[in-house]
Amino acid sequence: MDQKITDARARPRRTAKSKDTGRHAGVPADGGAFIDAKAIGSRPPSRPGGRFRRAGAAAVALAAICTVWLGNRYLMSHAVEQFTAEPVDLTIVLTGPATLDATRISLVSSRLQGVIAKMRVDRNDRVEQGEIIAEIITDELKSELGASQASVEAARKAVDLAIADRKHAEAALANARQNFDRKKMLLEKTIASQESYDAAVATLRQAEADFDRSKAAIEQARALEASAAATAEVQRVKLDEGTIRAPFDGVVVSRDHYVGDTVTPGAKIVQLVDTASIILSARFDESSISRLSPGQKAVIRFNGGGRGASIMATVLRIGRQVDTETREFSVDLRPDTLPPNWALGQRGMTTIEIGTRKGVLAVPAAAIERRQGKPGVWIVDSGRAYWIAVTLGDAGGLFVEVVKGLQPGDVILSEPRDVYFGMKIAEGGARR
C-alpha cells in the first residue's frame, strides 16, 4: 500500500496539451523529468480593480484640495483697506528727480610741474579767496629769478653809465660850439686863419655826433633794463605760481594729491565749490513746462531720509532744451538752506506746488495699479474685487486725480496687494 502511494506521488502530473506538438507541455520530449513551465519566471495575477481604486482615491484627494483652495480663494472674505472716492480740493504738484549741483566750481591746479612741498587744506575745509592751498618746490625758479634780478641791476648801471657819457658829450658839445663861434668871429676879423676855423668846425661836428651817440646809448641801456626787468617779472610770476591759492571763497570737496606728489600743469590738486552757487537741477516731463515759472516754491527730499533730509527751495530758472530721448527738461532750484551733510551729485525728489483744484475726484496714488502700461484701480462691487481701467489727471501729494472710470461713492482698495479678480472682500473693512 505504501509503495503505491509513493509511486503515485512520483508520477508526472498531466498538463494541458501543447498546441504545436500535441504533447503534454509539462513533459519533456526525451522522457526526462517533469518541469512545470508556468512555475518558472511567472508572477501571480493582480487583484482585479486595484489600479482603479488607487486612481479614484487620488481623484478624490485632488478634488478635496481644489475645493479647499477654491473655498479659501472665493468663499472666504479678506480684510483689505478700502477708500471711498469723493470730490476733494486737490493741491496740484509736480514731482521729479533732482541732483545737487553748483554753477561755480573750480578745479584748482598748478601751472608748473613740480613736487608738492606743503598742503594747507583738506576735504570739507572752508577757504577764503587768496588763501594758500598748496606750495610747489621752486628752488630752480628762485635761482632763475635771482639771475634775472642781477641782470636788471646790471642794466640799471649801464643806464647810469650811458647817462654820464651823455653829460660828458653834452659838455664837449657846448665847448665845441663856443670854440666854433670864437673862431668864426676871428675869421671874419681876419685874426684867425682858415685852418683853425676848419678845425673848429670839425671839432663841433664830432661833438654833435658824440652827443647823439650818447643819447642812443641811453635808450639802448634803458631797453636792456626793461627787458631784464620783464624777464625778472616773468620769473617772479612763475615763482608765485608755485604757491597755489584759492580763486574764491568756498569749500574743498575733493583732494587728489598729497605732499611729495609730482604734479603736472593742469593736473587737479583740489576741487573747490562756492556754496552760494549750489543749485538743485530737477527734471520734469515736457508736458508740464507751461506750468512752471521762476519764484515758485518747492520741497526737496533727499534719498535716505533722516534729519535735514527735506529742505525748501525756489525755482531759479527754467531750462530751454528738451532731451530728445527722455522728453524731459531741466529746472534749476535755489535751496533756502543746505542739509547738514551734502555732496555734489546727491539725488533727491523735487515737489513743486503749481495750484489747487476744487471738487476733484481723487484717489490715493498707492491704489493705482498698471496693467500693460494702463492705469487702473481695484473696485469693490457686490463684495468682490474687480480691476477697472481709469484715466488719470493731475497729481497732488499722495493723491492723483481720476478723470474717467470712477464715480463719487465708488469704493476701491487703497493699497492692493495680492489681490485677484473676484476676491471676496470683507464688509466694513477699514476705510479712509
Side-chain angles (χ1 to χ4, degrees):
M1 184 66 178
D2 293 338
Q3 184 67 31
K4 290 180 179 181
I5 295 174
T6 302
D7 293 342
R9 290 177 179 174
R11 185 179 302 164
R13 184 175 55 183
R14 294 185 176 274
T15 59
K17 293 183 178 180
S18 174
K19 295 181 179 180
D20 297 334
T21 61
R23 299 179 180 179
H24 296 288
V27 180
D30 56 358
F34 172 81
I35 299 177
D36 192 347
K38 292 184 179 181
I40 299 176
S42 63
R43 63 178 182 180
S46 301
R47 297 179 61 185
R51 67 180 65 180
F52 298 106
R53 284 195 294 272
R54 287 195 296 271
V60 171
L62 180 60
I65 293 174
C66 291
T67 301
V68 173
W69 181 81
L70 290 173
N72 179 70
R73 188 171 179 86
Y74 292 105
L75 299 180
M76 292 185 61
S77 299
H78 299 269
V80 183
E81 187 174 358
Q82 303 169 29
F83 178 86
T84 302
E86 297 291 349
V88 297
D89 294 341
L90 184 65
T91 301
I92 308 302
V93 297
L94 291 178
T95 303
T99 304
L100 196 69
D101 201 354
T103 58
R104 196 179 187 192
I105 302 176
S106 176
L107 304 180
V108 182
S109 60
S110 172
R111 295 184 179 181
L112 304 176
Q113 180 171 343
V115 178
I116 296 178
K118 294 181 181 179
M119 280 293 299
R120 301 291 184 88
V121 298
D122 207 341
R123 286 181 297 179
N124 297 335
D125 287 350
R126 291 187 173 274
V127 297
E128 297 180 355
Q129 183 177 1
E131 185 176 340
I132 296 176
I133 292 178
E135 296 181 15
I136 308 297
I137 296 176
T138 54
D139 294 341
E140 183 177 353
L141 289 177
K142 290 178 180 178
S143 299
E144 293 177 357
L145 177 60
S148 297
Q149 289 175 337
S151 298
V152 171
E153 187 63 27
R156 281 201 192 101
K157 291 181 179 179
V159 171
D160 294 339
L161 182 60
I163 292 174
D165 290 343
R166 187 187 65 176
K167 292 180 179 179
H168 181 270
E170 187 177 6
L173 177 60
N175 185 44
R177 283 177 177 169
Q178 291 178 356
N179 184 46
F180 170 76
D181 293 338
R182 187 171 55 254
K183 292 294 183 179
K184 182 178 179 182
M185 182 182 64
L186 292 175
L187 180 62
E188 291 175 351
K189 295 180 179 181
T190 66
I191 297 176
S193 63
Q194 184 66 38
E195 290 78 3
S196 61
Y197 174 77
D198 293 339
V201 171
T203 302
L204 176 60
R205 290 176 178 173
Q206 182 63 43
E208 290 175 343
D210 292 342
F211 181 75
D212 292 338
R213 185 170 57 252
S214 67
K215 290 196 299 182
I218 292 176
E219 292 176 357
Q220 182 180 8
R222 285 177 174 169
L224 292 174
E225 180 188 15
S227 176
T231 301
E233 183 62 25
V234 170
Q235 299 299 333
R236 186 178 294 106
V237 170
K238 286 186 177 180
L239 186 61
D240 289 341
E241 289 176 350
T243 302
I244 314 301
R245 300 180 183 274
F248 50 77
D249 297 349
V251 175
V252 177
V253 297
S254 68
R255 168 179 171 174
D256 293 355
H257 290 284
Y258 297 85
V259 174
D261 288 352
T262 299
V263 295
T264 56
K268 183 181 70 172
I269 298 176
V270 298
Q271 185 175 5
L272 189 65
V273 172
D274 182 2
T275 55
S277 71
I278 288 180
I279 60 171
L280 289 119
S281 182
R283 300 191 307 276
F284 298 97
D285 186 79
E286 62 179 349
S287 61
S288 58
I289 193 170
S290 61
R291 298 184 173 188
L292 294 174
S293 60
Q296 290 176 324
K297 295 298 182 180
V299 178
I300 310 296
R301 293 179 176 84
F302 291 101
N303 295 345
R307 185 176 63 88
S310 298
I311 61 173
M312 297 299 297
T314 305
V315 176
L316 180 63
R317 53 180 163 260
I318 311 298
R320 298 306 178 194
Q321 186 174 5
V322 175
D323 190 284
T324 56
E325 294 184 0
T326 64
R327 307 312 303 175
E328 294 177 334
F329 67 100
S330 63
V331 177
D332 291 341
L333 302 103
R334 176 82 69 191
D336 295 348
T337 59
L338 288 176
N341 296 321
W342 58 269
L344 293 183
Q346 186 176 1
R347 296 179 300 174
M349 190 61 66
T350 305
T351 302
I352 302 177
E353 294 187 5
I354 60 174
T356 301
R357 298 276 303 279
K358 300 289 185 179
V360 172
L361 191 64
V363 299
I368 303 300
E369 182 177 299
R370 295 182 179 273
R371 291 190 170 187
Q372 297 181 350
K374 296 181 179 181
V377 296
W378 287 92
I379 189 171
V380 180
D381 186 10
S382 300
R384 295 189 180 275
Y386 303 96
W387 184 90
I388 62 171
V390 296
T391 302
L392 302 180
D394 293 323
L398 300 178
F399 290 82
V400 60
E401 177 188 9
V402 176
V403 178
K404 184 180 180 181
L406 286 181
Q407 297 293 331
D410 286 344
V411 178
I412 66 171
L413 302 184
S414 302
E415 297 180 357
R417 295 189 183 91
D418 301 326
V419 180
Y420 49 87
F421 188 84
M423 186 175 76
K424 190 173 183 180
I425 306 299
E427 296 182 1
R431 297 192 182 187
R432 58 186 179 92

